[in-house]
Amino acid sequence: MEFLRSSPALLLACLFLVFLSVSSLGINYGQIADNIPSPENVVPLVKSIGASRIKLYDADPKVLKAFAKTGVEFIVSLGNEYLAKMKDPSNAQSWVKKNVQVYLPATKITCIAVGNEVLTLNDTTLTDNLLPAMQSVHTALVNLKLDKQVTVTTAHSLAILQTSYPPSAGAFRKDLVDCVTQIVDFHCKTASPFLINAYPYFAYKGNPKQVSLDFVLFQPNSGIVDPESNLHYDNMLFAQIDAVHSALASVGYKNVCVQISETGWPSKGDADEAGATPENARKYNCNLMKLIGQKKGTPMRPNSDLNIFVFALFNENQKPGPGSERNYGLFKPDGSQAYPLGVPAVTLSSNSSSSSGSGSGTDATPSASLPPASSSSGYLAITSDSGRSLSRCKSLLLSTLWLLFHCYSIIFNVERMETSATL
């Protein structure tokens, strides 16, 4: 207790870290790079920001083994290129055995994301294969008696919406309503989350003169009022999330769990990429993490915890596209923070670079090579049309805060008694 007595500031820092540690912060862990830390060295970085969930774009065994017995929850993924193969129940069961079952229960895999942004790729073959692939993977989980602990989902671009403003008028594209409805019905039957990739950055980048920077960065601003619901919105991400809630309600589903599987802000970009600066990235991600830690829901769902995965853990130097694509990371390749995150820095051990890329070496898992132009592994989604268009934790937090303050009170009383005795 001596360190707490000598440093009240350190106590406050501990409280802040405890606050983050019980939040539902998620992080996307991409590996399209040749200079990022090894998975073993990623563990302390994830812990340093208080993230309790990770979304992978494959099922990399090195990552899954490195995070064994850490308690961190994982979403593992199957790329779009494997949808046709996953329609076959035997292939799906083989994949689940090799990429999920073998790591349980040491590594806490809780979800499998089948495909990414399939419905907005205008590829009818992929669209036709998506739900059957999801169903086959779920059937495999049932057969292996894993369906109670592992769910199946898929991530969508925000471009599946025909209307997103005002939030109360949110509606799916007419040509996608039937397909989306079938997928949502699957979610309801299997108790799995509906995933959306949402990037307010793209709205600002596309029209910086009209879109308020404070509104997209969670900074103080006058906000907007939805004329139909009369709800007030002080940031764009919440408006986007509630537009999805409205769209789901419009097709008869009011109680689906919506999670934001990707959102973030680049710290650097090309000359024509407005707003891509370290300061804006710091404001967006730090303010977002504060909101997640506060368990603050959206205006339409004020009592629902935010389920958000920040994009991304690292700057990835081999990603295609504009400069911003390679600069969404909270961390640089050497493990240092890309900008101040409000948490202590972590020093990595030597030989921290990963040489394996994102490959897992298992069947039906993306390789370490750069995804082809037709791939939808999740990385290409950053520049897609998507840019345009927990009470238990609370109790734990309060108990922990009470304990720390109680300890501090005891220390204070001991000091006072010692002072009195001296006098």
Side-chain angles (χ1 to χ4, degrees):
M1 290 296 183
E2 182 63 33
F3 74 99
L4 291 176
R5 174 162 44 180
S6 63
S7 179
L10 184 56
L11 172 65
L12 294 177
C14 290
L15 294 178
F16 177 70
L17 289 175
V18 169
F19 187 76
L20 277 179
S21 68
V22 297
S23 74
S24 55
L25 174 65
I27 189 77
N28 283 275
Y29 181 1
Q31 300 182 79
I32 299 186
D34 59 6
N35 57 0
I36 59 176
S38 65
E40 291 76 17
N41 280 287
V42 172
V43 175
L45 294 179
V46 170
K47 290 183 176 180
S48 75
I49 59 172
S52 59
R53 300 182 298 163
I54 289 176
K55 183 162 74 69
L56 288 178
Y57 291 94
D58 55 13
D60 188 338
K62 293 183 179 179
V63 173
L64 296 176
K65 290 176 182 177
F67 278 86
K69 299 181 180 180
T70 62
V72 175
E73 296 183 8
F74 273 84
I75 294 179
V76 296
S77 302
L78 268 164
N80 294 349
E81 59 269 38
Y82 300 106
L83 296 185
K85 187 174 182 179
M86 289 303 108
K87 285 177 59 180
D88 184 331
S90 62
N91 288 336
Q93 185 149 321
S94 176
W95 188 91
V96 171
K97 284 183 177 180
K98 294 179 180 179
N99 296 281
V100 176
Q101 187 179 41
V102 294
Y103 300 107
L104 297 170
T107 302
K108 198 172 181 181
I109 300 173
T110 60
C111 189
I112 302 170
V114 179
N116 187 74
E117 299 194 348
V118 171
L119 302 187
T120 48
L121 293 177
N122 297 318
D123 186 322
T124 56
T125 300
L126 286 177
T127 298
D128 292 343
N129 288 336
L130 177 58
L131 184 56
M134 294 171 66
Q135 292 169 331
S136 289
V137 173
H138 176 70
T139 298
L141 291 170
V142 172
N143 292 340
L144 297 171
K145 295 181 172 54
L146 299 176
D147 57 302
K148 302 302 181 184
Q149 62 189 102
V150 184
T151 59
V152 177
T153 188
T154 186
H156 303 283
S157 160
L158 200 64
I160 62 174
L161 297 183
Q162 181 75 42
T163 306
S164 60
Y165 183 84
S168 61
F172 295 115
R173 279 173 36 184
K174 293 181 180 180
D175 61 314
L176 296 178
V177 168
D178 289 343
C179 189
V180 170
T181 301
Q182 293 178 51
I183 290 174
V184 177
D185 187 59
F186 170 86
H187 290 312
C188 291
K189 291 178 179 178
T190 62
S192 55
F194 186 83
L195 303 187
I196 285 284
N197 298 334
Y199 288 90
Y201 166 69
F202 290 114
Y204 180 78
K205 173 185 173 182
N207 198 352
K209 293 183 179 180
Q210 297 298 322
V211 177
S212 166
L213 186 58
D214 287 337
F215 187 64
V216 294
L217 292 179
F218 309 99
Q219 294 288 99
N221 67 94
S222 58
I224 62 170
V225 175
D226 187 315
E228 296 298 323
S229 67
N230 207 35
L231 294 174
H232 180 265
Y233 291 86
D234 59 12
N235 69 80
M236 182 175 286
L237 182 64
F238 280 13
Q240 292 176 335
I241 295 173
D242 278 353
V244 174
H245 284 136
S246 294
L248 288 167
S250 72
V251 293
Y253 298 92
K254 295 183 178 180
N255 298 310
V256 179
C257 174
V258 174
Q259 296 187 6
I260 302 304
S261 42
E262 289 182 16
T263 191
W265 196 283
S267 59
K268 185 179 180 181
D270 296 333
D272 61 346
E273 294 190 281
T277 68
E279 180 61 14
N280 287 342
R282 183 190 67 79
K283 288 179 179 178
Y284 185 87
N285 286 317
C286 288
N287 286 337
L288 175 60
M289 287 191 282
K290 288 178 184 178
L291 286 177
I292 295 172
Q294 293 169 6
K295 301 292 181 181
K296 182 178 180 180
T298 67
M300 196 175 290
R301 298 286 190 275
N303 298 319
S304 297
D305 290 343
L306 296 174
N307 293 292
I308 294 176
F309 288 81
V310 175
F311 190 92
L313 196 57
F314 295 108
N315 288 335
E316 299 171 71
N317 68 333
Q318 294 185 324
K319 290 179 64 176
S324 62
E325 290 291 332
R326 294 171 287 284
N327 292 280
Y328 272 85
L330 299 184
F331 294 97
K332 298 178 181 179
D334 62 1
S336 64
Q337 297 174 8
Y339 39 81
L341 297 173
V343 295
V346 174
T347 300
L348 301 183
S349 62
S350 59
N351 300 321
S352 62
S353 292
S354 172
S355 61
S356 62
S358 61
S360 68
T362 56
D363 291 342
T365 307
S367 66
S369 61
L370 204 63
S374 61
S375 171
S376 176
S377 63
Y379 302 100
L380 303 184
I382 298 297
T383 52
S384 72
D385 287 342
S386 63
R388 295 190 293 270
S389 359
L390 314 145
S391 63
R392 180 176 59 185
C393 290
K394 290 179 181 177
S395 298
L396 176 60
L397 171 62
L398 291 174
S399 298
T400 307
L401 290 176
W402 180 89
L403 178 61
L404 286 173
F405 278 118
H406 185 61
C407 292
Y408 192 80
S409 176
I410 293 173
I411 293 169
F412 176 79
N413 288 331
V414 170
E415 287 184 327
R416 186 172 60 180
M417 292 173 62
E418 291 175 347
T419 302
S420 298
T422 301
L423 295 176

